[in-house]
Amino acid sequence: MSKTEQLNNSEKEIVAVTKHGQATIPKRFREKLGIEAPGKVLFRETEDGEVIVEQVRSPREMRGFAARSEASTDKPASEILKEKRDQDRKERDSQFSTEE
């Protein structure tokens, strides 16, 4: 069972964790993050000690990703991906940052 709490204009939900370390991500959070079941999520810790949950795209969703458009830069793909990840991470962090 879960319990929803309203605190500081943000919703929080308490969920049980099984003895195997499993927890169910509440539906509204899965929908907000675009997480589909079955699937995978990434847990990462920020420098501030906050834990962020991110959607991990399936290989099926990524199929043909690189072939969708012609190259428009001489930058290596790894550099472009790193820049995009950094940009996405900053956007997500700003979405979930708490205002004091």
Side-chain angles (χ1 to χ4, degrees):
M1 288 224 155
S2 63
K3 178 181 176 186
T4 302
E5 300 175 357
Q6 188 72 27
L7 185 62
N8 297 333
N9 295 326
S10 66
E11 286 195 32
K12 298 179 181 183
E13 190 157 337
I14 298 171
V15 297
V17 178
T18 70
K19 66 181 180 180
H20 300 287
Q22 298 172 331
T24 301
I25 301 169
K27 182 179 180 180
R28 72 170 174 279
F29 293 121
R30 290 193 317 266
E31 289 174 347
K32 185 174 185 176
L33 297 171
I35 298 167
E36 293 186 19
K40 293 186 178 188
V41 294
L42 170 72
F43 286 82
R44 68 177 177 86
E45 186 174 0
T46 67
E47 291 178 10
D48 299 341
E50 292 185 61
V51 177
I52 307 293
V53 180
E54 299 176 5
Q55 170 194 21
V56 175
R57 296 188 191 277
S58 70
R60 183 175 35 109
E61 291 176 297
M62 298 302 291
R63 188 174 297 141
F65 174 75
R68 289 190 183 133
S69 61
E70 296 212 11
S72 60
T73 181
D74 290 332
K75 283 186 184 180
S78 58
E79 185 177 335
I80 294 169
L81 289 172
K82 182 183 181 316
E83 290 171 0
K84 178 65 174 146
R85 286 185 190 122
D86 290 343
Q87 178 185 4
D88 290 348
R89 188 172 293 121
K90 286 177 186 175
E91 289 173 7
R92 273 192 302 277
D93 288 347
S94 69
Q95 264 185 333
F96 294 106
S97 66
T98 57
E99 297 181 16
E100 295 181 27

